[in-house]
Amino acid sequence: MERHVPVGNDESAGDAGKLRDPAWREPSDLEIAELCDQMWSVAHALARRVSARSQECMDNGHTAPAGVTHYPDWQLAHLRVLRYMNEAVQGLAADTAQTAGALGASYSQVGAAWGISRQAARKKWPQAGDDGALSETFSMERYGGRAEVSRVPGRSSWTWTGRGCDGAEEQAAQSYDSPWAALAAAEAFLRDHFVALGWRDGVDVPLALVVPDRETCWCADIDD
């Protein structure tokens, strides 16, 4: 039998629906610079793996020297990664806008957060809800998986179903007093079933299984 679990008290659950205005403060120049550095690091790490020049080194059993980043073809690989990062940002923005709208944010508020008008927000993210009304059901994508949060038919409680990155499927064993609590539980499920890529920065190949061949690699005359 399904269990119903209250989360906090009615006041704390209800407060989640009271949007702060403004909902954010503008980040400082230093915080923006830090964000750019972090994004650069992420792109840099993936570019090291997809660069044809870096791959030659990996095929020869060693990592590319640091100077590889100064080669124009490596920069092109980095630019290619940034393209996919831009697509990822657009996808994350759409998912976030949809979630915000489903939880009661209006198109005016969603648009303000993105720096566009209400009309532009509605056109950009038509799936973002009924302009301020709490949706009966909404989905989210996190950690390579997908979950759907919905109101229990005929009740004021909420539930969720999800499919994790590893293929595991699950539905809530209990109902929740608010969509925010159900959303948090669904996100925890997706996080627990995330499958990492299985590599660490700086470790590209199992060197113990490969005899490094620097003499015939392009980087033979390059100092690390």
Side-chain angles (χ1 to χ4, degrees), residues 27-131:
S28 67
D29 290 343
L30 181 60
E31 288 169 328
I32 293 296
E34 182 180 17
L35 174 63
C36 290
D37 285 345
Q38 292 172 343
M39 294 176 65
W40 182 90
S41 295
V42 171
H44 181 90
L46 182 54
R48 287 180 58 246
R49 298 187 61 80
V50 304
S51 162
R53 187 176 292 274
S54 294
Q55 184 63 53
E56 290 176 27
C57 291
M58 288 190 283
D59 290 343
N60 286 316
H62 61 275
T63 57
V68 68
T69 61
H70 300 142
Y71 286 69
D73 50 23
W74 194 93
Q75 290 293 329
L76 291 175
H78 196 197
L79 185 61
R80 187 67 174 180
V81 170
L82 289 171
R83 170 184 177 259
Y84 285 108
M85 182 176 286
N86 180 61
E87 291 182 358
V89 167
Q90 294 298 323
L92 290 171
D95 184 65
T96 302
Q98 178 181 351
T99 303
L103 292 174
S106 68
Y107 272 113
S108 295
Q109 293 164 325
V110 170
W114 195 250
I116 57 179
S117 68
R118 174 182 179 277
Q119 292 78 8
R122 180 184 286 276
K123 182 177 180 180
K124 186 176 182 64
W125 299 302
Q127 75 281 19
D130 295 325
D131 206 6

